[in-house]
Amino acid sequence: MEGEISSPLLLKERTQIHGGGSGGEEQRGGSSATTMVVLSTLVAVSGSYVFGSAIGYSSPTQSGIMEDLALSVAEYSLFGSILTIGAMIGAIMSGRIADYIGRRGTMGFSEIICIIGWMLITFSKASWWLDVGRLLVGYGMGLLSYVIPIYIAEITPKNLRGGFTTVHQLMICFGVSITYLIGAFVSWRILALIGNISELFHVLFRSLVYFFIPESPRWLAKIGRGEECEAALQCLRGHNADISDEAAEIRDYTETILQLSEASIFELFQWKYAHSLIVGTGLMVLQQFGGVNGIAFYASSIFISAGFSGRIGMIAMVVVQIPMTALGVVLMDISGRRPLLMVSAAGTCLGCFLAALSFLLQDLNKMVAVTPFLALFGVLIYTGSFSLGMGGIPWVIMSEVFPINMKGSAGSLVTLVSWLGSWIISYAFNFLMDWSSSGTFFIFSCVCGLTVLFVAKLVPETKGRTLEEIQATMNPFSPKR
């Protein structure tokens, strides 16, 4: 077609101009982890810890809140799941806010909202206080769940991007685990107060270093601040690093794609973006309908239903979650995204199957002495496997597969889909367990098995490729002259 400009051609010409070849390709976008990249990532993921503490809060506090405020199962299910409603609202707005005030500004704004929410929960005297506070915390989480992986993906070199982006999931896991652990020994009000103090500490920490960490170079390039883009990139890669190739690639790609109009949410549903949209939303749907937030929000009641100690079960989950998530961070840029995702999804499938088998045997009054431990092993296998890959990799891939002019709309849509699925599962989980505990986990097991096939057939390998190279193969575009 006349006037067509393709990303592969653009990248090929760029490589020739800068003395390409295989050696140049290996160097472009690949470098070591500088102090500034590490610091910027730590500042970003400080919000991920708060994210995790909010997810983990509802499990150890269920019996205490229901008793103190006389809540029914339905009312507590609303409290647990309203977090995801707030997150959906935040998700809808996340892309636009991040595009308007930048990645750093969005992270700071979200944490202020979370502080207000935690304060309402801490001092609540009625159920509606709890719900409003939980809703606000969820709104902040909806913003963070989009902007943190996007920011990390945009500042890290291509050879480190997967591992660094997965630190977001590691800190979520750390927040969940610490909340489970502390919640086993303190009241729900004290646990909420600890969450509030943690949030205040993170805001203080972020404020102290805010002016030292750079904004995303790709966002700066997108809004036309080219000199600041290069300055931020130089700061991230080191003062003695040669950033000419990477800066030119970002500039060339951004200039070309900005010939397209800023995409609306409806423009995302075009055939040329179909692959990215299917991969981004599909992974989020499968992640949530595999049951993760039902298990995370109500882990204690699952163990109790299986005849096992809720406190010991949650401590065991802590022991499994953190090292498996850390292992996933290490393996991310070694094994690649696809193999790790398939192993992780297969493990979650097995874990849910064992839990379902435990509840089935319990219903049949068979092997009564074994079923509690079978449920424990099933949940631990699920938790460990999920932490290995399914927890973090979908967010990594979401941050990689959409072009810069689509990231605002696409990020909002994908994050919304994730939180909508989370709300459905977290609200319906108690009712599903009342219907059939074994049936609930068999359904989750089938979804996890389907995830393995989905990854094998549709998810691309993005390891070791720049964001621009990924777009060149997934989303060719034709800007108008």
Side-chain angles (χ1 to χ4, degrees):
M1 183 182 298
E2 184 178 352
E4 181 168 309
I5 301 174
S6 69
S7 293
L9 177 60
L10 183 152
L11 291 176
K12 180 179 178 182
E13 290 175 348
R14 258 263 314 110
T15 303
Q16 291 172 347
I17 291 171
H18 290 270
S22 60
E25 180 62 30
E26 288 173 359
Q27 291 177 1
R28 187 169 68 247
S31 61
S32 60
T34 64
T35 301
M36 187 53 67
V37 169
V38 173
L39 178 61
S40 299
T41 301
L42 288 175
V43 172
V45 299
S46 65
S48 306
Y49 174 85
V50 180
F51 187 148
S53 64
I55 292 175
Y57 181 77
S58 60
S59 178
T61 59
Q62 181 169 355
S63 59
I65 291 177
M66 289 180 68
E67 181 178 342
D68 288 354
L69 299 181
L71 302 185
S72 65
V73 172
E75 287 173 324
Y76 192 80
S77 293
L78 176 62
F79 167 71
S81 64
I82 204 170
L83 180 84
T84 58
I85 296 175
M88 281 188 276
I89 299 170
I92 293 170
M93 303 172 66
S94 60
R96 293 301 182 189
I97 292 175
D99 282 349
Y100 183 69
I101 66 174
R103 297 2 179 178
R104 295 185 309 173
T106 304
M107 287 186 280
F109 172 70
S110 66
E111 292 196 349
I112 292 172
I113 298 297
C114 287
I115 287 175
I116 298 171
W118 276 118
M119 290 183 68
L120 285 173
I121 294 173
T122 302
F123 300 106
S124 59
K125 300 294 184 182
S127 61
W128 71 268
W129 283 39
L130 283 173
D131 293 341
V132 172
R134 186 87 164 157
L135 185 73
L136 289 175
V137 173
Y139 176 79
M141 287 172 54
L143 296 177
L144 289 173
S145 62
Y146 167 76
V147 74
I148 291 175
I150 288 292
Y151 175 73
I152 297 173
E154 290 180 347
I155 66 170
T156 48
K158 68 177 183 180
N159 56 311
L160 302 172
R161 188 177 61 242
F164 269 70
T165 307
T166 316
V167 175
H168 168 57
Q169 181 63 29
L170 175 62
M171 290 300 291
I172 292 174
C173 173
F174 190 67
V176 172
S177 299
I178 294 299
T179 303
Y180 280 171
L181 192 60
I182 297 174
F185 301 100
V186 303
S187 71
W188 62 273
R189 288 191 190 276
I190 296 297
L191 190 61
L193 182 61
I194 291 171
N196 205 21
I197 293 171
S198 299
E199 185 66 76
L200 287 169
F201 173 78
H202 290 139
V203 169
L204 177 61
F205 171 62
R206 187 185 298 279
S207 299
L208 290 173
V209 299
Y210 181 85
F211 295 103
F212 296 97
I213 66 168
E215 182 55 90
S216 161
R218 287 175 171 86
W219 179 75
L220 291 170
K222 179 187 175 185
I223 63 172
R225 291 155 63 176
E227 291 184 3
E228 292 178 57
C229 167
E230 293 191 12
L233 194 60
Q234 190 73 68
C235 179
L236 288 163
R237 300 295 177 260
H239 294 296
N240 297 323
D242 180 5
I243 63 165
S244 56
D245 275 2
E246 189 174 4
E249 184 171 322
I250 292 172
R251 183 178 62 251
D252 288 348
Y253 186 79
T254 303
E255 287 176 355
T256 305
I257 205 165
L258 286 180
Q259 294 178 47
L260 299 170
S261 59
E262 180 69 20
S264 69
I265 195 73
F266 300 105
E267 292 178 55
L268 185 58
F269 296 95
Q270 299 180 54
W271 180 252
K272 60 185 175 182
Y273 301 125
H275 190 189
S276 293
L277 192 61
I278 290 170
V279 169
T281 57
L283 282 175
M284 293 302 179
V285 168
L286 292 167
Q287 180 195 60
Q288 294 303 326
F289 282 87
V292 58
N293 277 326
I295 295 171
F297 283 23
Y298 307 111
S300 179
S301 64
I302 294 172
F303 290 125
I304 292 170
S305 297
F308 200 83
S309 166
R311 177 177 295 182
I312 294 174
M314 287 193 296
I315 293 173
M317 287 178 68
V318 172
V319 173
V320 169
Q321 276 183 323
I322 294 177
M324 289 301 288
T325 306
L327 179 62
V329 172
V330 172
L331 293 177
M332 176 73 67
D333 288 311
I334 298 175
S335 67
R337 282 49 154 171
R338 278 166 47 87
L340 203 56
L341 263 179
M342 287 190 282
V343 169
S344 175
T348 58
C349 178
L350 174 62
C352 283
F353 179 80
L354 292 177
L357 184 61
S358 168
F359 283 111
L360 179 62
L361 291 172
Q362 191 180 82
D363 292 341
L364 297 174
N365 205 25
K366 303 286 186 180
M367 303 174 66
V368 177
V370 177
T371 54
F373 296 96
L374 189 60
L376 173 67
F377 292 144
V379 172
L380 293 183
I381 290 171
Y382 177 93
T383 300
S385 299
F386 185 87
S387 300
L388 183 66
M390 277 303 295
I393 296 178
W395 293 102
V396 175
I397 291 177
M398 181 275 288
S399 71
E400 295 175 328
V401 298
F402 293 105
I404 190 70
N405 71 313
M406 301 300 302
K407 273 194 176 180
S409 299
S412 293
L413 177 63
V414 171
T415 310
L416 173 63
V417 168
S418 174
W419 286 112
L420 177 60
S422 178
W423 173 76
I424 292 171
I425 294 301
S426 59
Y427 184 75
F429 185 80
N430 284 326
F431 301 105
L432 286 171
M433 291 290 283
D434 287 342
W435 162 68
S436 171
S437 299
S438 59
T440 299
F441 279 95
F442 275 127
I443 291 171
F444 291 160
S445 182
C446 290
V447 173
C448 294
L450 181 62
T451 304
V452 179
L453 298 177
F454 180 86
V455 173
K457 294 295 184 182
L458 292 172
V459 177
E461 181 56 72
T462 58
K463 170 192 169 187
R465 301 163 69 190
T466 68
L467 298 180
E468 289 71 31
E469 288 167 344
I470 295 168
Q471 300 318 310
T473 56
M474 290 192 72
N475 301 301
F477 51 84
S478 304
K480 299 177 182 179
R481 288 186 172 180

